[in-house]
């Protein structure tokens, strides 16, 4: 496996018009490869959420929503750890192979989820319940772990093929991949069951959801893994091209020739990541940004129904929150490149301040569906820019050959502390006590995110200065 993932050797460098032509073509090619590949990870990530109502019905209520909530948590915990630990492997691996490999393993883990659901027949054999939950937990843990192989190679690709002065814009477009992939899960579950349910389960219509929720998305993800492999390339030097900094004459202050070499795990962790206090500030800020992101997203249906708004309207507000992210992310990335000249701290601070404003509107809007919808659109529009820029800032603050691990550290803080502990567990308990307390905690998270990102401003200004 080690030799399979070893980064390709550099080829003799091409110069002149031919190099320019190949660079332009390959940059678009690897961008689409990373976009398609990362979108596919979201096709096989949180599919179990779609299946919960059908599983509880199929098992006659023997497997409860509480049981399945525990299974869901395994995915989040695994992803948090994998995003960091797999990043240390990714920085020393061929991105062209690393990403499709993780995608195939994610798809296979999701595919096998049908086994404990269908084969153990919990409705008629309730003694199998514990075994089914354990198997689903293990498989969903593996889904989360292998999903952690998606972001790090994309971060490696973005740092090698796009220079610091343009990276914010390119990554803002790429970051929309998770909205595109995540948005496909619902339609794929519906139409997959309709198109393929009879093929796999004949007259057993109660099992058709397995085809739509697990089998169809897994098959599509494996096909897209092949597409990604065909499009991706590890770095320009492996294609006979100069480094992106040399080609664009865009050298950041922390660039050196050693940035093009493969480092040991020890060097990556202790010389360039753990010892970089700016990365720790970014990671802590990310925890609070993710607390806001998932605190609003995961609890929106509950908060809206508690306000007296019907579930159908709450569903549309949930949809609006997600898709408002796409233009907001792109605009934020473009501003960071064109207006702030490659600096990420200031646009992150501005966007988080606007998030806080819309949280106040959301808090005080009562049962007014229009104001609630406007506030959720506003939060969704502005929160995903900082989510994306913090990842970009982590890439900027570390050498290219340690970029994946740097971003993995921020991702771990975002998903483990920000999502699992703060947004899901802590806000879950607080929301039972007081809705006002929930909103105050979300506002406090905005303030703390601004404080910790603000600590990176001076260092980032130095790095961005030519």
């Amino acid at each position: 496996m080690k030799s399979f993932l070893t980064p390709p050797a550099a080829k003799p460098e091409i110069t002149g018009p031919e190099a320019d032509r190949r660079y332009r073509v390959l940059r678009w090619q690897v961008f689409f490869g990373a976009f398609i590949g990362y979108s596919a990870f979201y096709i096989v990530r949180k599919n179990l959420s779609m299946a919960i109502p059908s599983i509880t019905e199929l098992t006659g209520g023997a497997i409860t929503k509480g049981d399945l909530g525990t299974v869901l948590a395994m995915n989040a915990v695994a992803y948090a750890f994998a995003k960091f630990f797999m990043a240390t492997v990714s920085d020393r691996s061929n991105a062209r192979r690393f990403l499709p490999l993780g995608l195939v393993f994610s798809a296979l883990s999701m595919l096998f989820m049908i086994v404990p659901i269908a084969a153990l027949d919990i409705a008629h054999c309730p003694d199998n319940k514990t075994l089914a939950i354990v198997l689903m937990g293990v498989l969903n843990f593996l889904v989360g772990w292998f999903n952690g192989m998606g972001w790090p190679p994309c971060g490696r690709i973005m740092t090698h093929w796009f220079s610091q002065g343009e990276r914010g814009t390119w990554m803002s477009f790429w970051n929309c991949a998770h909205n595109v992939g995540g948005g496909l899960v619902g339609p794929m579950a519906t139409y997959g069951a309709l198109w393929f349910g009879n093929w796999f389960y004949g007259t057993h219509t109660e099992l058709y959801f397995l085809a739509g929720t697990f089998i169809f998305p897994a098959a599509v993800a494996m096909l897209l893994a092949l597409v990604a492999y065909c499009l991706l390339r590890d770095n320009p030097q492996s294609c006979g091209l100069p480094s992106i900094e040399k080609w664009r004459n865009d050298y950041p202050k922390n660039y050196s020739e050693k940035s093009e070499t493969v480092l040991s795990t020890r060097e990556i962790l202790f010389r360039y990541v753990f010892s970089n206090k700016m990365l720790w500030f970014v990671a802590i800020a990310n925890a609070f940004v993710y607390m806001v992101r998932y605190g609003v997203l995961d609890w929106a249906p509950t908060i809206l129904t508690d306000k007296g708004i019907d579930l159908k309207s709450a569903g549309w507000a949930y949809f609006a929150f997600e898709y408002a992210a796409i233009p907001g992310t792109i605009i934020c990335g473009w501003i960071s490149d064109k207006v702030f000249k490659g600096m990420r701290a200031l646009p992150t601070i501005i966007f988080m301040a606007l998030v806080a404003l819309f949280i106040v509107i959301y808090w005080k809007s009562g049962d007014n569906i229009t104001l609630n919808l406007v506030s959720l659109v506003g939060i969704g529009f502005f929160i995903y820019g900082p989510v994306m820029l913090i990842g970009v800032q982590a890439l900027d603050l570390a050498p290219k050959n340690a970029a994946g691990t740097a971003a993995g550290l921020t991702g771990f803080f975002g998903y483990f502390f920000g999502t699992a502990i703060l947004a899901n567990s802590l806000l879950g308990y607080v929301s039972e006590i007081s809705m006002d307390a929930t909103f105050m905690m979300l506002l406090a998270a905005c303030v703390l995110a601004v404080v910790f990102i603000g600590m990176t401003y001076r260092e980032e200004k130095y790095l961005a200065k030519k």
Side-chain angles (χ1 to χ4, degrees):
M1 181 62 74
K2 183 178 180 181
S3 60
F4 175 77
L5 292 175
T6 300
K11 294 182 179 179
E13 188 174 306
I14 302 169
T15 58
E18 177 62 15
D20 293 339
R21 185 192 67 80
R22 289 194 63 188
Y23 230 122
R24 293 188 182 98
V25 170
L26 284 174
R27 269 157 56 97
W28 280 105
Q29 180 179 311
V30 297
F31 174 82
F32 282 120
F35 189 96
I36 292 168
Y38 197 59
S39 296
F41 273 99
Y42 277 81
I43 293 174
V44 284
R45 182 163 175 197
K46 296 211 171 187
N47 307 48
L48 186 63
S49 299
M50 297 293 300
I52 285 177
S54 299
I55 292 173
T56 54
E57 183 180 349
L58 179 67
T59 61
I63 294 181
T64 66
K65 292 180 181 178
D67 296 328
L68 294 172
T70 302
V71 174
L72 284 175
M74 299 301 291
N75 184 286
V77 171
Y79 185 78
F81 281 95
K83 196 169 183 182
F84 176 68
F85 288 110
M86 296 307 285
T88 64
V89 181
S90 174
D91 277 332
R92 297 179 290 110
S93 299
N94 184 345
R96 186 186 186 190
R97 294 178 176 178
F98 192 87
L99 185 149
L101 186 67
L103 183 51
V104 168
F105 284 151
S106 295
L108 289 173
S109 301
M110 186 64 73
L111 178 63
F112 278 98
M113 194 75 75
I114 65 176
V115 174
I117 298 171
L120 297 179
D121 194 14
I122 308 301
H124 299 98
C125 305
D127 290 343
N128 291 337
K129 172 183 172 179
T130 301
L131 177 60
I133 293 172
V134 170
L135 286 175
M136 283 192 287
V138 170
L139 287 166
N140 211 29
F141 182 92
L142 292 174
V143 169
W145 185 268
F146 291 126
N147 257 265
M149 295 175 69
W151 207 104
C154 290
R156 175 179 172 86
I157 287 166
M158 288 293 167
T159 55
H160 279 281
W161 288 93
F162 305 96
S163 65
Q164 184 172 318
E166 60 177 354
R167 199 175 294 151
T169 302
W170 281 94
M171 287 198 70
S172 67
F173 280 95
W174 169 79
N175 200 66
C176 297
H178 74 263
N179 299 103
V180 173
L184 290 174
V185 173
M188 289 180 79
T190 301
Y191 289 103
L194 179 65
W195 296 336
F196 305 108
N198 185 57
W199 287 15
F200 291 98
Y201 298 108
T203 59
H204 296 281
T205 56
E206 74 278 8
L207 298 177
Y208 281 15
F209 78 95
L210 297 174
T213 309
F214 300 112
I215 299 174
F216 181 44
V220 172
M222 284 190 272
L223 176 62
L224 293 177
L226 178 60
V227 173
Y229 175 79
C230 293
L231 293 175
L232 292 174
R233 298 293 183 272
D234 184 65
N235 57 43
Q237 290 89 333
S238 67
C239 301
L241 297 171
S243 69
I244 186 61
E245 290 80 9
K246 181 178 179 180
W247 185 65
R248 293 194 77 242
N249 193 29
D250 184 4
Y251 293 92
K253 285 285 184 180
N254 61 346
Y255 178 81
S256 71
E257 289 297 326
K258 193 174 181 181
S259 298
E260 309 298 338
T261 63
V262 177
L263 301 174
S264 68
T265 302
R266 182 180 180 85
E267 283 182 299
I268 291 171
L269 290 176
F270 294 101
R271 181 176 296 180
Y272 296 111
V273 176
F274 291 159
S275 62
N276 188 337
K277 68 178 181 179
M278 295 300 145
L279 282 176
W280 288 102
F281 291 147
V282 171
I284 296 169
N286 202 38
F288 294 114
V289 169
Y290 269 70
M291 179 183 176
V292 176
R293 174 189 177 183
Y294 284 107
V296 173
L297 182 63
D298 289 349
W299 295 104
T302 302
I303 290 174
L304 291 171
T305 51
D306 285 349
K307 287 184 173 189
I309 295 171
D310 65 277
L311 193 58
K312 182 179 179 181
S313 298
W316 279 110
Y318 189 94
F319 171 87
F321 177 91
E322 276 286 359
Y323 280 84
I326 295 175
T329 302
I330 294 170
I331 290 170
C332 187
W334 182 87
I335 288 174
S336 75
D337 279 344
K338 303 302 180 183
V339 178
F340 293 99
K341 308 302 181 185
M343 291 192 294
R344 321 300 177 188
L346 281 178
T348 298
I349 290 170
I350 292 169
F351 271 54
M352 288 305 299
L354 291 169
V355 167
L357 173 63
F358 279 100
I359 287 175
V360 172
I361 297 172
Y362 187 29
W363 182 8
K364 302 298 183 182
S365 58
D367 62 354
N368 186 317
I369 183 61
T370 301
L371 280 178
N372 278 282
L373 184 61
V374 167
S375 60
L376 280 171
V377 167
I379 296 169
F381 183 94
F382 288 109
I383 191 61
Y384 278 93
V387 167
M388 178 271 302
L389 278 188
I390 283 178
V392 178
Q393 192 173 18
L395 300 179
D396 292 345
L397 289 170
K400 289 195 297 182
N401 44 10
T405 305
L409 178 68
T410 66
F412 173 79
F413 270 70
Y415 280 96
F416 187 79
F417 294 108
T419 305
I421 294 179
L422 296 176
N424 295 157
S425 299
L426 181 61
L427 285 184
Y429 287 113
V430 170
S431 65
E432 292 180 358
I433 300 171
S434 167
M435 186 186 296
D436 289 341
T438 300
F439 281 106
M440 285 189 283
M441 291 196 69
L442 290 173
L443 288 172
C446 291
V447 172
L448 289 169
V450 167
V451 169
F452 281 100
I453 281 294
M455 292 180 180
T456 70
Y457 171 70
R458 294 179 69 178
E459 175 71 10
E460 190 182 47
K461 187 176 180 181
Y462 164 75
L463 290 175
K465 186 178 180 180
K466 295 293 185 289

